[in-house]
Every structure is written in structure tokens, then in C-alpha cells.
Amino acid sequence: MYGAYNPPMPSLPERQESPFCCKPTGEGGNRQGRTYIGDDADLANDMNAVSFEEREKVYHDIHGVSELPEETTKLLSTCLEQLDACIAKSRHTNLAKARFLRPKLDTDRDFKLMFLRSTEYDAVKATRRMCDYFDKKCEIFGEDMLVKRITISDLSEEAIECQRSGLLMMLPFKDQSGRPIQFFDFSKINWDPVAIRSHAQWFWYIIMNAVEGDATAQRRGVLSVSYAPGSGLLEPGSCGRLRGLLAPAESISDALPFKLSCTHMCYDDPRFDFLMQIKELLLAEETDCECGDLAKQNCEYIETQLRKEKRQAEMEAEDEARTGIVMYPRPNDILIGRGQSYRNYPAAQVFYKIIDTYMDQYLSSKERFEKVSLSIDVVSALRAAGYRMLQRKPSGWEILDAVSERQKVAVAFRSRLPKKVSSPRRVLANGEANTDFESDPKRRRV
């Protein structure tokens, strides 16, 4: 068992590459150096190659006692202003779409602080990571989930199976510095490509649930504990498969608003008692928590999350009924407004198809009450199909009442009317145009 660390490091002695050697990530990533996995002699040689100050930083990072910058009101306000300026300048497609679909995102201080803390309060890197966050979220969950908080019900069946297997989970306790502990059992990996892609959903879910609302976890990072005995990862030929697993994991890690502060790994060595090492290394002396049955605690974690998500959904439904405001639109919501963002929303296409279906009846209606009655019929048909109309507000999306919906339907009918053809120009007997007629607005045909 050892700590794998992230500090900037000088050139190290040449040695054979291990299948566990993670390449440095790009600018703005979670890991700024290399992560080595080897025996105690390798670790000692690497540590001797760095200065005393760097070595102390390594130990502090491993045990979670590094000094953190003080979050003063001035620091936070300055960083948030810089981040807002960077976001306003960004032309990133998914970021702009997320800001449109979730109006409150621009004033969500807690959401922005997650990205600032994960990038050491660098506004430019935080903006880049936010763009990557929405790109990766679309890739993993689909465009419909761009601004929705991911819950267990949003996960695929393969992702749920990943949870049941115990491959990847959050331990029910934190280390002595308050960092959440992620547990990864390499021996339970399903190497099927579909299963590996499903791991991404579960990894996203547990990390976001660990850091959201937890300032300590956002500032100090997440601790990773990996268990490799019996996994076959040290066998010849396993390097390629392992890199195939780690590559998508690293791309997700670089998009999520969290820091991987350090990694502890247990590999084939009978001298190690894994559970006791975790307790002695990670838990404070006064903590009286045992690891116990990890499978049982994994099930308890899921049950706890389901109860929490159910309460959250009930609270959101109560707020929606009380205020008439929703945080973000559903796929079958019709967004009322002008511009490409409104027209391109999926439900808008369905809405205008319905309008076109009733257009012949609208054109044949001579009296105003007939057109009003037709608009009411359209509103009833939309509501019966589960559609509703929303209008964008700074605090969210306002649900329109029946009267407002009827008025919007009437406007849609008028906007879809065939364009009138302008009257032909009258020609005098001498072949010249009758300009007096065309210039007289009272005599001009409409």
C-alpha cells in the first residue's frame, strides 16, 4: 500500500514503464505530474530525487494535511467576477445551451465555486473545465440531461450492475482531513466495451454526489483507494486493456469539478491486511468506524441516495406548484420566445406540426369565436399529450396558464398564415407605371 502523488516533479531516473503508469494530463487536468505504482524501493528512489520542500508537499498531499488558501470574501468575489467575465466571452455551444436552458445557472454561486476550487481559483481553467463538463455530460447521458441533476433513475441498467458488483463505490466514511474516499476493486472489472462505457455513468454519479454541497471535499479533493489482488493486472499483456479503461476515466476526471488529491493502491502482497491498512492510514485515531461488509454498505449507500432523491423531487414539486416556476424545461415542454434556441427545441417542432394540422380549419373560420374555440381545442390536445408552455424568466421557466397558452396558440396560427402576394402595378395606356396610384397609401391594395 502506498500513496501515489501529484506534485510537480523534476526528471526522474529511467526505469521500465509499469502498466499502472498514468501519463500526464493536459493543462487544467486533475493531475499535474505522474502517478507511479511500484514497490517501496521504487517509491523511495523517486522521493529521494525531489527536494525537501517537494517531499513534504507529497506527504501532506497523501495524508490530506496540506495548507489551503484562505477563502476570504474578497478572494471569492474577485474569482467569481473573473469567472463570469470568462463565461460571458465563451462561445462554447453546450455551455451556451446550458445557460439558456437553466437561467439560474448564471447566478448559481455554489456551482461556480466547485469549478474554481477544482482549478485552484483559476477562472480561465475553471471556464474550460465547465465547457468540458457539459460536453462530457452530453456524451455520457445524452442532450436531454444537459442541465438536469443526475439521479439513480437516470442511469443505465449496465451502470446499476456496475454498482451492484462493488467495482466502484464511495466508502461510508471520510479520512481524517474530511476527504471522501472512492474505492475501486480492479478484480471485479468487466472488460466488455459496453460495460466499460457504463462505468463512466456510475463514476460521474458518485463523484458529483460526493462533492456537491461539500466545500471541504471540493477544496481538499477526493481520495482514491484501489484494490488489485486477483485482478490479473500485473500479468503480461494487461497494459493495453488497462489503458483502455483508464483513458475514459481520466477524460471524465478532467471534466468533473473535483480534485483527485492522491491514490492509495493495494496489490498482490500477503503481508498487507487491506482493511486494517485503510483504517490505520485514513481514519483519525478517535474515529471508531469499521469498514465492515463493503457489499452491505454499498447497498445502504444506494438506499440512502434513493431516499434523498425522493425527498428532493418532492421538494421541487412543491416549489413548482407554489411558484409556477421550473428550474429547467423537459423534452416535451414548448418554449415560448423568439430566436433559434426556442425554435430548435424538440417540442417546438411538434407544436408547429400540430398548428399546421389545424391550419385548414383556422383558414375556413370566419368568425372570431370560431378561431378562439379552435385555439382552445389545440391547447387541450397539447395538454392531453403531456405538453406545456414555458416562458423564460431570470429565476427559471414560468409555466403559462390556460389563457396565456390560448393566446400563444393564436399568435402561432397568425405566424403560419400564407404570405399575401403584393398587388400588380397598374400600367397606363402609354405603358408607363401609375406611380400616383402606388404612392397613395389609401388606394394601395393590402
Side-chain angles (χ1 to χ4, degrees):
M1 173 94 56
Y2 79 96
Y5 42 90
N6 326 329
M9 298 180 63
S11 300
L12 299 178
E14 292 289 337
R15 66 175 185 173
Q16 186 176 3
E17 181 182 351
S18 163
F20 295 100
C21 180
C22 301
K23 300 300 182 183
T25 59
E27 183 181 359
N30 288 334
R31 294 159 297 285
Q32 298 168 344
R34 292 183 179 179
T35 301
Y36 288 101
I37 295 180
D39 55 25
D40 292 340
D42 290 333
L43 180 61
N45 291 334
D46 291 346
M47 295 298 291
N48 288 332
V50 301
S51 66
F52 175 77
E53 292 78 9
E54 291 173 326
R55 193 180 310 169
E56 286 297 304
K57 185 179 186 303
V58 168
Y59 285 127
H60 289 169
D61 287 341
I62 289 176
H63 298 289
V65 294
S66 302
E67 293 185 3
L68 299 175
E70 182 182 358
E71 283 194 347
T72 62
T73 303
K74 182 178 180 180
L75 171 66
L76 294 183
S77 61
T78 301
C79 291
L80 287 171
E81 288 177 2
Q82 294 173 351
L83 180 59
D84 288 338
C86 291
I87 291 175
K89 294 178 182 177
S90 175
R91 295 296 181 265
H92 192 269
T93 303
N94 282 326
L95 177 58
K97 185 176 180 181
R99 295 176 63 196
F100 168 73
L101 293 177
R102 190 156 191 163
K104 209 171 181 179
L105 198 64
D106 288 335
T107 57
D108 193 339
R109 186 174 182 270
D110 294 336
F111 182 78
K112 295 176 182 178
L113 282 178
M114 285 197 301
F115 290 90
L116 285 171
R117 288 165 176 159
S118 66
T119 55
E120 305 298 335
Y121 308 96
D122 188 316
V124 176
K125 291 181 179 180
T127 304
R128 187 180 302 125
R129 175 164 294 195
M130 193 178 294
C131 295
D132 294 340
Y133 169 86
F134 287 114
D135 283 345
K136 190 61 66 173
K137 193 173 184 180
C138 271
E139 177 186 331
I140 297 174
F141 297 100
E143 292 186 7
D144 292 346
M145 299 293 173
L146 181 64
V147 293
K148 183 183 183 298
R149 189 176 187 273
I150 302 300
T151 63
I152 291 179
S153 61
D154 301 320
L155 304 179
S156 66
E157 184 59 35
E158 291 80 10
I160 298 297
E161 185 59 33
C162 172
Q163 172 269 321
R164 293 171 182 159
S165 68
L167 168 68
L168 185 62
M169 61 181 291
M170 299 300 296
L171 296 184
F173 48 81
K174 299 180 179 181
D175 77 342
Q176 58 187 353
S177 65
R179 296 177 297 183
I181 305 173
Q182 169 197 305
F183 176 76
F184 191 10
D185 188 346
F186 278 96
S187 66
K188 296 181 179 179
I189 293 178
N190 182 347
W191 294 103
D192 180 75
V194 176
I196 290 179
R197 285 195 296 270
S198 70
H199 298 166
Q201 289 193 358
W202 183 244
F203 178 70
W204 184 290
Y205 176 82
I206 63 172
I207 291 297
M208 289 304 296
N209 274 277
V211 300
E212 280 184 318
D214 190 337
T216 301
Q218 294 168 20
R219 299 188 68 197
R220 292 201 172 274
V222 175
L223 178 65
S224 178
V225 176
S226 299
Y227 183 69
S231 62
L233 292 178
L234 297 178
E235 297 177 1
S238 64
C239 182
R241 290 198 306 169
L242 181 60
R243 284 176 178 159
L245 174 69
L246 294 180
E250 287 193 0
S251 67
I252 297 172
S253 298
D254 293 339
L256 289 174
F258 88 110
K259 294 184 291 187
L260 184 60
S261 55
C262 75
T263 298
H264 296 275
M265 171 161 280
C266 178
Y267 54 95
D268 296 49
D269 193 327
R271 297 174 298 175
F272 291 108
D273 184 337
F274 178 61
L275 298 181
M276 289 303 295
Q277 287 288 335
I278 286 186
K279 179 182 176 183
E280 294 175 4
L281 178 63
L282 304 178
L283 301 182
E285 295 181 359
E286 64 273 11
T287 304
D288 196 22
C289 177
E290 297 286 349
C291 287
D293 186 349
L294 293 181
K296 179 181 178 181
Q297 292 173 354
N298 194 21
C299 293
E300 292 176 351
Y301 170 81
I302 294 299
E303 292 174 359
T304 301
Q305 291 300 116
L306 286 172
R307 289 194 296 268
K308 184 189 301 183
E309 291 170 5
K310 182 179 179 181
R311 289 195 301 269
Q312 182 68 23
E314 291 173 350
M315 292 174 59
E316 290 179 357
E318 291 175 359
D319 290 341
E320 179 181 317
R322 178 173 51 84
T323 63
I325 299 290
V326 296
M327 299 302 296
Y328 51 86
R330 302 175 306 191
N332 58 342
D333 285 334
I334 302 167
L335 309 185
I336 303 300
R338 295 182 179 180
Q340 189 175 0
S341 299
Y342 294 90
R343 291 193 300 270
N344 291 344
Y345 200 69
Q349 307 302 320
V350 178
F351 173 63
Y352 284 113
K353 285 182 180 179
I354 294 176
I355 293 295
D356 292 340
T357 302
Y358 285 87
M359 182 57 70
D360 289 340
Q361 297 182 42
Y362 183 83
L363 293 174
S364 62
S365 300
K366 303 301 181 182
E367 302 296 333
R368 183 176 182 277
F369 76 89
E370 294 178 340
K371 296 180 179 180
V372 172
S373 178
L374 186 60
S375 298
I376 294 175
D377 291 342
V378 173
V379 170
S380 300
L382 290 171
R383 290 194 169 190
Y387 290 91
R388 60 183 181 178
M389 295 187 186
L390 305 181
Q391 196 160 19
R392 197 174 188 272
K393 301 291 182 182
S395 58
W397 291 87
E398 181 184 11
I399 305 173
L400 300 185
D401 55 25
V403 176
S404 299
E405 286 184 338
R406 181 188 62 76
Q407 293 172 350
K408 299 302 180 183
V409 168
V411 171
F413 271 124
R414 292 194 292 270
S415 69
R416 307 291 279 186
L417 287 174
K419 293 183 178 180
K420 295 182 179 180
V421 181
S422 58
S423 60
R425 301 170 68 184
R426 291 191 176 184
V427 180
L428 300 178
N430 59 5
E432 297 180 357
N434 187 353
T435 55
D436 293 337
F437 173 83
E438 291 182 349
S439 62
D440 187 356
K442 295 182 180 180
R443 300 178 60 189
R444 190 182 305 168
R445 291 182 181 178
V446 178

